[in-house]
Amino acid sequence: MHIHDSVRMLYVEFGGMNMVKRLVVFVFVCVAAPLYADNKVERYALIAVGCADTNARLHPNLDPIDRNASFIQVARVYAALRKCGFSDKNIRILYDTGRVQPDWSERQNHTELTRIKRYHFTGKYSNAATPENIAALMDEFKKQVDENDIFVFYLMTHGHPSGTVMLGGRRKWTSAQIQRTLSGLKTRHAIFCFETCFSGAILQRTDFPNAVCVAAAPHNSPGWVDKKFANCVNFILAKANPKNDKNKDGLVSVSEAMDVVRKKAADYEPKWRHYLRTKYKFPKHSPVPRSAVERTSLKGVMKI
């Protein structure tokens, strides 16, 4: 995927991600990369969940659509990455402080969760979703990833209108820190996904010339993730599904993937709003006030 200067600052809104309660996501998409002589294309990914607010083992009284929602969505991202040729040796998955583990008893997406536990929560690397650990892992990726490789960053956590997000231990990660940490990759084929409230503010405050950046919500709105819905995840799944290649050119384009995301958001929103009004049990521990949910947008933002 080549990023042209003429379109790099284009912002596109797509219907869909209400992420009032949690997470930011940098997410992967199957990207066609040119093959250089004797230079095999490798695929790398860093997936980070900055808080454990939907962990049903820690918070047993969550609404059913919230129970383990963040890691169920991570499992969907992980499955899409593996489908597109990402090897476990080139994937890193982080969760809160690293001392807390996901609820492995969750039955939804259990096959993927079991594999994640087997290959990624073994002590071989730190699972802490902290600024320091993300920076250390990114330094390793910057040494490994070359211009022919594909890199995906997916972050899910709480976000703020200032473009700051919350990482493990409720540590702050500012847009300036995000810029420093994610800059320096040699690849021209990177996708950064931020699944968080107000994540459009991150796109406004950062500049990654060689990456497609996707935000779950506009800069002035909370976002939404639950067990059934996540904008950035839907973007990844759409990009990874060859059935979405409508013009039959052999690649699911960004616009084709966004069409799928818009439709999913439009289909989900009326059912979701009705559920919020009639049945939803607001989490007591959420840092997002109940009043904010009413102004939550299911529109995401993309910067290329």
Side-chain angles (χ1 to χ4, degrees):
M1 178 179 295
H2 295 279
I3 308 301
H4 301 284
D5 289 341
S6 60
V7 298
R8 185 165 60 84
M9 295 304 295
L10 173 66
Y11 288 78
V12 181
E13 286 196 359
F14 58 98
M17 169 133 205
N18 193 327
M19 164 126 222
V20 136
K21 302 179 276 298
R22 0 202 201 306
L23 317 145
V24 190
V25 177
F26 263 157
V27 67
F28 150 80
V29 178
C30 287
V31 179
L35 296 177
Y36 299 101
D38 301 320
N39 187 1
K40 180 183 177 182
V41 176
E42 295 285 353
R43 294 164 171 81
Y44 301 85
L46 175 56
I47 301 171
V49 178
C51 60
D53 287 357
T54 67
N55 189 315
R57 182 169 54 84
L58 301 177
H59 309 288
N61 295 320
L62 291 170
D63 187 89
I65 67 171
D66 288 338
R67 292 177 61 84
N68 296 320
S70 60
F71 222 74
I72 286 172
Q73 294 296 347
V74 165
R76 298 175 73 207
V77 172
Y78 175 74
L81 291 173
R82 294 194 64 248
K83 175 183 176 182
C84 292
F86 285 67
S87 170
D88 282 292
K89 68 182 179 66
N90 292 336
I91 298 173
R92 296 292 181 266
I93 301 178
L94 313 181
Y95 188 71
D96 196 33
T97 61
R99 295 187 296 272
V100 175
Q101 294 211 359
D103 181 2
W104 301 118
S105 67
E106 173 61 48
R107 302 310 302 173
Q108 188 170 332
N109 296 90
H110 187 69
T111 299
E112 290 80 12
L113 292 174
T114 299
R115 186 178 178 93
I116 289 172
K117 180 181 180 182
R118 177 182 177 185
Y119 287 100
H120 295 282
F121 285 77
T122 62
K124 290 183 178 180
Y125 64 86
S126 171
N127 295 106
T130 59
E132 295 83 4
N133 197 38
I134 292 176
L137 290 172
M138 284 301 303
D139 285 344
E140 293 181 13
F141 282 126
K142 290 170 191 178
K143 296 174 183 176
Q144 297 173 319
V145 177
D146 66 26
E147 68 276 2
N148 197 40
D149 294 333
I150 298 168
F151 182 81
V152 174
F153 178 84
Y154 176 90
L155 175 64
M156 179 182 292
T157 192
H158 293 291
H160 187 270
S162 65
T164 296
V165 301
M166 186 177 76
L167 293 182
R170 300 194 175 270
R171 301 275 303 281
K172 293 181 180 180
W173 201 32
T174 67
S175 290
Q177 290 174 299
I178 292 171
Q179 180 73 60
R180 288 195 300 270
T181 302
L182 299 183
S183 294
L185 287 166
K186 299 182 184 73
T187 182
R188 296 170 295 168
H189 317 290
I191 295 175
F192 299 158
C193 292
F194 301 91
E195 198 100 65
T196 177
C197 292
F198 309 103
S199 45
I202 300 171
L203 273 56
Q204 291 182 338
R205 291 168 170 79
T206 57
D207 184 27
F208 301 105
N210 294 328
V212 171
C213 298
V214 181
H219 71 281
N220 58 353
S221 172
W224 184 267
V225 163
D226 61 36
K227 292 170 71 170
K228 298 180 180 179
F229 184 84
N231 260 343
C232 290
V233 175
N234 286 341
F235 178 77
I236 294 172
L237 298 184
K239 199 77 169 64
N241 188 345
K243 293 181 179 180
N244 295 319
D245 177 18
K246 300 303 181 183
N247 63 1
K248 307 302 179 185
D249 64 352
L251 174 69
V252 179
S253 69
V254 168
S255 61
E256 288 170 332
M258 299 304 270
D259 286 342
V260 175
V261 173
R262 288 190 197 96
K263 185 177 188 308
K264 285 184 177 293
D267 290 345
Y268 190 68
E269 183 161 9
K271 293 179 287 187
W272 166 72
R273 292 201 182 276
H274 177 74
Y275 186 84
L276 287 184
R277 290 193 303 266
T278 60
K279 296 182 180 180
Y280 184 67
K281 182 169 62 175
F282 285 81
K284 295 180 180 179
H285 62 276
S286 175
V288 181
R290 180 168 181 163
S291 59
V293 176
E294 298 177 0
R295 57 188 179 89
T296 294
S297 172
L298 292 189
K299 288 186 178 180
V301 180
M302 183 183 67
K303 180 181 178 181
I304 59 177

